[in-house]
């Protein structure tokens, strides 16, 4: 039996229950995670002492995948808000390092390069972001652009000095913490390290930090990588562990081959580079004809975004599915599915050679999730440990979430603020109709479905399926 241990980024369903649901396809895999209540949330830091105890006392695993943001700051959101000094965080990390040194598991770790969101929404940022977020983004963008191009930065800084200094101090602290982890690679505390670029763009202080880290990694010959994305990184690292020495090859087809060099929203690399970098990190090789076929439903001109209300349902052709085992990353839009594509997909009964579908959040998120789904199923079938009911449940949740909630329900829930929960309840009949459509497509039997908003906001829903 394969034993996998994970310290997630936080307690969101996409970081916690999704991992459990994907690995449930393989009855030979045992997953260890801390109790969900110990992980960070939107307004709550992780319980670090209980996570320490979990690591000390967990059964021996084949691989330990760790979110260093959880240990250092209490979670991904906390990494941007945490008021502690470098010295305070370093002391906590040194205690954690001693615990890890007592363990014998191969350890893959990941840490975020602090994002810079281009808006005035402070839901996941410090309070001043509600007034100065866009200005800070512009400051960051043009500071880096002018240094890279050796040109004059002609943007007039309108940000109050105390706010800008606080922001830059927080960035420097997090950057110095990330540099500290490079020493952990050198002394073999960690076997592999990934730095993630979340909500990024062509220029910015975060992009500049990534360039500096990359240079340091190369100069020191360390086993570390920098990847565009965030929430999918632990999924891809688990895939990497599962696929090690398995020589899994993946062929890639795009619905818009002419657009593969275009850049998705919230990212800084092309669609093609995003796909191939996720596959490489997952220990899969890209080939013309592979063990699996990845269908990427990419965008024609520019990626839509369901959250911004700038979405596109670009797929208007008849969908021809391949004969070989295939899986789908639907990235025509950020934050939700392509309605035309999904309608085509579910016209007939679900084919036995479907190995996964995903369409949540950013392109990197969807691609990493889809790869994890497919590789887990592929290896489970190869090992005669495949659980078909678990796969159907997984796809039932993904289609209800990525298609139904994100593209049809979320807008009305968001507009009902602060009555999010009441609006979600009022959509129960609409959900029920789509449940029947999806269940028929998958030939999946279920008893009931429960919909909640775990972070008391509209962005993510938790979908709990009670199977028969």
């Amino acid at each position: 039996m394969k034993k996998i241990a994970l310290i997630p980024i936080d307690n969101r369903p996409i970081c916690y229950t999704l991992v459990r649901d994907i690995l449930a396809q393989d009855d030979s895999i045992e997953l260890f995670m801390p109790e969900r209540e110990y992980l960070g949330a939107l307004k709550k830091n992780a319980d670090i002492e209980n996570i320490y105890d979990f690591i000390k006392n967990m059964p021996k695993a084949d691989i330990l995948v760790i979110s260093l943001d959880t240990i250092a700051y209490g979670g991904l959101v906390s990494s941007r808000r945490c008021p502690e000094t470098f010295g305070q965080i370093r002391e906590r990390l040194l205690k954690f390092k001693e615990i890890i040194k007592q363990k014998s598991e191969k350890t893959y770790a990941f840490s975020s390069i602090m994002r810079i969101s281009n808006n005035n929404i402070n839901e996941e940022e410090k309070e001043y972001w509600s007034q100065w977020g866009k200005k800070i983004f512009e400051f960051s963008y043009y500071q880096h652009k002018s240094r890279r191009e050796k040109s004059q930065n002609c943007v007039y800084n309108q940000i109050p000095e105390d706010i800008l200094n606080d922001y830059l101090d927080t960035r420097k602290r997090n950057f110095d913490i990330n540099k500290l982890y490079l020493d952990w690679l050198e002394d073999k505390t960690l076997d592999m390290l990934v730095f993630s670029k979340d909500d990024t763009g062509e220029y910015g202080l975060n992009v500049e930090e990534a360039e500096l880290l990359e240079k340091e990694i190369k100069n020191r010959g360390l086993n570390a990588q920098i990847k565009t994305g965030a929430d999918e990184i632990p999924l891809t690292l688990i895939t990497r562990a599962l696929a090690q020495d398995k020589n899994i090859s993946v062929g890639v087809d795009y619905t818009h081959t002419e657009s593969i060099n275009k850049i998705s929203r919230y990212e800084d690399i092309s669609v093609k580079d995003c796909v191939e970098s996720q596959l490489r990190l997952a220990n899969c090789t890209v080939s013309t004809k592979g063990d699996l076929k990845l269908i990427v439903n990419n965008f024609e001109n520019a990626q839509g975004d369901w959250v911004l209300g700038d979405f596109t349902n670009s797929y208007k052709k008849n969908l021809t599915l391949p004969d070989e085992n295939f899986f789908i990353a639907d990235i025509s839009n950020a934050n939700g599915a392509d309605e035309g594509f999904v309608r085509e997909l579910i016209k007939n009964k679900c084919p036995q050679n479907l190995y996964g579908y995903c369409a949540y959040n950013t392109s990197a998120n969807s691609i990493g999730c889809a790869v994890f789904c497919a590789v887990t199923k592929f290896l489970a079938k190869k090992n005669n440990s495949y659980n078909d009911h678990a796969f159907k449940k997984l796809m039932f949740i993904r289609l209800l979430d990525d298609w139904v909630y994100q593209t049809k329900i979320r807008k009305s829930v968001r507009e009902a603020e602060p009555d999010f929960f009441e609006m979600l309840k009022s959509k129960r009949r609409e959900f029920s109709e789509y449940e029947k459509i999806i269940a028929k497509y998958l030939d999946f039997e279920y008893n009931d479905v429960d919909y909640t908003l775990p972070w008391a906001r509209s962005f993510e829903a938790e979908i709990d399926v009670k199977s028969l």
Side-chain angles (χ1 to χ4, degrees):
M1 177 172 280
K2 194 87 170 176
K3 298 179 186 293
I4 295 168
L6 171 66
I7 309 300
I9 297 172
D10 51 46
N11 68 7
R12 283 172 295 156
I14 220 71
C15 299
Y16 195 86
T17 57
L18 176 62
V19 181
R20 179 198 65 202
D21 291 343
I22 290 175
L23 291 178
Q25 298 176 89
D26 191 333
D27 289 334
S28 73
I29 293 177
E30 192 171 358
L31 173 65
F32 309 123
M33 290 191 291
E35 293 294 325
R36 199 170 178 183
E37 63 187 284
Y38 298 149
L39 294 168
L42 182 61
K43 297 180 180 178
K44 177 181 81 74
N45 289 353
D47 185 334
I48 306 298
E49 291 301 323
N50 268 307
I51 291 175
Y52 286 166
D53 289 342
F54 164 81
I55 297 171
K56 289 176 187 174
N57 300 319
M58 73 181 192
K60 186 179 184 319
D62 298 295
I63 185 74
L64 173 58
V65 178
I66 298 174
S67 164
L68 293 169
D69 288 337
T70 292
I71 305 299
Y73 312 105
L76 181 62
V77 173
S78 303
S79 71
R80 306 165 199 144
R81 292 176 167 175
C82 173
E84 292 176 296
T85 65
F86 173 85
Q88 290 171 311
I89 294 167
R90 182 176 178 274
E91 284 303 308
R92 180 159 59 245
L93 287 169
L94 288 176
K95 182 178 178 181
F96 169 72
K97 184 178 181 182
E98 288 307 308
I99 295 170
I100 291 298
K101 279 187 168 293
Q102 303 306 312
K103 306 294 289 183
S104 59
E105 286 84 2
K106 180 178 281 190
T107 303
Y108 294 166
F110 58 103
S111 178
S112 65
I113 297 170
M114 196 171 96
R115 77 173 189 181
I116 312 175
S117 56
N118 187 14
N119 56 52
N120 284 349
I121 301 171
N122 68 354
E123 190 174 55
E124 297 186 13
E125 318 294 336
K126 291 190 177 183
E127 287 299 317
Y128 53 68
W129 211 264
S130 62
Q131 186 173 356
W132 300 103
K134 278 182 172 283
K135 294 293 183 185
I136 292 171
F137 178 89
E138 289 174 7
F139 173 86
S140 163
Y141 182 95
Y142 287 104
Q143 283 287 320
H144 178 215
K145 188 175 190 290
S146 63
R147 281 196 284 265
R148 182 190 279 179
E149 297 179 351
K150 296 181 173 55
S151 61
Q152 185 175 359
N153 181 358
C154 59
V155 173
Y156 176 67
N157 174 32
Q158 303 174 43
I159 307 162
E161 185 177 3
D162 59 332
I163 289 174
L164 184 59
N165 286 342
D166 177 81
Y167 176 74
L168 294 175
D169 287 346
T170 303
R171 285 214 71 88
K172 183 179 186 308
R173 179 204 66 191
N174 287 21
F175 182 55
D176 288 342
I177 291 292
N178 276 339
K179 288 192 291 184
L180 178 70
Y181 299 142
L182 297 178
D183 296 334
W184 291 18
L185 277 173
E186 209 152 49
D187 67 16
K188 309 301 182 186
T189 301
L190 303 175
D191 293 284
M192 183 178 183
L193 176 62
V194 175
F195 293 113
S196 62
K197 291 187 288 183
D198 182 22
D199 283 3
T200 189
E202 185 180 6
Y203 298 105
L205 297 177
N206 54 340
V207 182
E208 188 171 43
E209 287 170 8
E211 292 168 350
L212 292 170
L213 287 170
E214 197 157 33
K215 184 177 180 181
E216 185 79 4
I217 290 164
K218 186 176 180 180
N219 288 342
R220 293 166 68 173
L222 299 173
N223 187 21
Q225 299 183 33
I226 297 171
K227 292 295 179 190
T228 296
D231 295 344
E232 85 290 346
I233 297 296
L235 311 184
T236 313
L237 286 175
I238 295 173
T239 314
R240 182 183 184 86
L242 293 175
Q244 188 171 19
D245 302 323
K246 300 297 191 298
N247 299 315
I248 299 173
S249 56
V250 180
V252 184
D253 282 350
Y254 298 90
T255 56
H256 295 288
T257 54
E258 74 283 1
S259 303
I260 61 174
N261 292 316
K262 291 183 180 292
I263 297 174
S264 304
R265 291 178 187 261
Y266 315 111
E267 299 193 352
D268 61 348
I269 57 176
S270 71
V271 167
K272 181 177 184 289
D273 286 344
C274 184
V275 168
E276 294 184 359
S277 68
Q278 288 289 337
L279 287 169
R280 284 194 300 270
L281 184 58
N283 258 335
C284 297
T285 57
V286 182
S287 65
T288 308
K289 187 173 178 61
D291 299 301
L292 295 163
K293 173 74 73 177
L294 168 56
I295 297 174
V296 181
N297 180 37
N298 58 315
F299 44 92
E300 186 175 4
N301 297 310
Q303 188 181 39
D305 186 340
W306 283 99
V307 166
L308 298 178
D310 180 21
F311 57 88
T312 175
N313 289 309
S314 64
Y315 199 86
K316 299 177 176 68
K317 301 178 285 186
N318 291 324
L319 178 61
T320 302
L321 299 176
D323 294 328
E324 62 261 56
N325 298 327
F326 73 97
F327 62 108
I328 298 164
D330 184 357
I331 63 167
S332 179
N333 299 289
N335 298 303
D338 181 330
E339 171 81 8
F341 185 88
V342 175
R343 288 288 184 185
E344 275 294 306
L345 179 67
I346 65 172
K347 279 197 309 189
N348 303 302
K349 185 177 178 181
C350 180
Q352 290 295 309
N353 60 330
L354 174 65
Y355 275 54
Y357 171 89
C358 195
Y360 82 90
N361 292 11
T362 66
S363 292
N365 291 161
S366 290
I367 294 160
C369 173
V371 172
F372 185 26
C373 291
V375 168
T376 303
K377 179 172 177 175
F378 175 78
L379 293 175
K381 289 180 80 72
K382 200 171 182 180
N383 298 331
N384 297 315
S385 53
Y386 172 62
N387 187 321
D388 189 56
H389 179 80
F391 173 74
K392 288 178 178 178
K393 179 182 175 183
L394 170 65
M395 289 299 95
F396 186 69
I397 293 172
R398 289 269 50 84
L399 286 166
L400 279 174
D401 191 342
D402 302 354
W403 177 36
V404 182
Y405 177 72
Q406 293 187 42
T407 71
K408 299 178 181 302
I409 306 292
R410 181 167 55 190
K411 183 175 184 289
S412 57
V413 173
R414 183 172 65 248
E415 291 173 348
E417 186 178 5
D419 299 319
F420 292 140
F421 299 99
E422 291 304 314
M423 177 57 75
L424 187 66
K425 285 179 185 176
S426 74
K427 295 293 182 178
R428 189 66 189 82
R429 180 177 292 181
E430 189 173 349
F431 270 123
S432 181
E433 291 303 311
Y434 283 103
E435 287 167 19
K436 294 170 187 172
I437 293 169
I438 297 168
K440 182 180 179 183
Y441 166 68
L442 294 168
D443 191 22
F444 175 68
E445 294 185 359
Y446 66 101
N447 187 32
D448 194 19
V449 185
D450 188 33
Y451 300 89
T452 55
L453 301 172
W455 277 19
R457 64 181 189 179
S458 62
F459 189 77
E460 61 273 296
E462 180 146 6
I463 300 173
D464 184 20
V465 178
K466 278 79 174 176
S467 302
L468 289 173

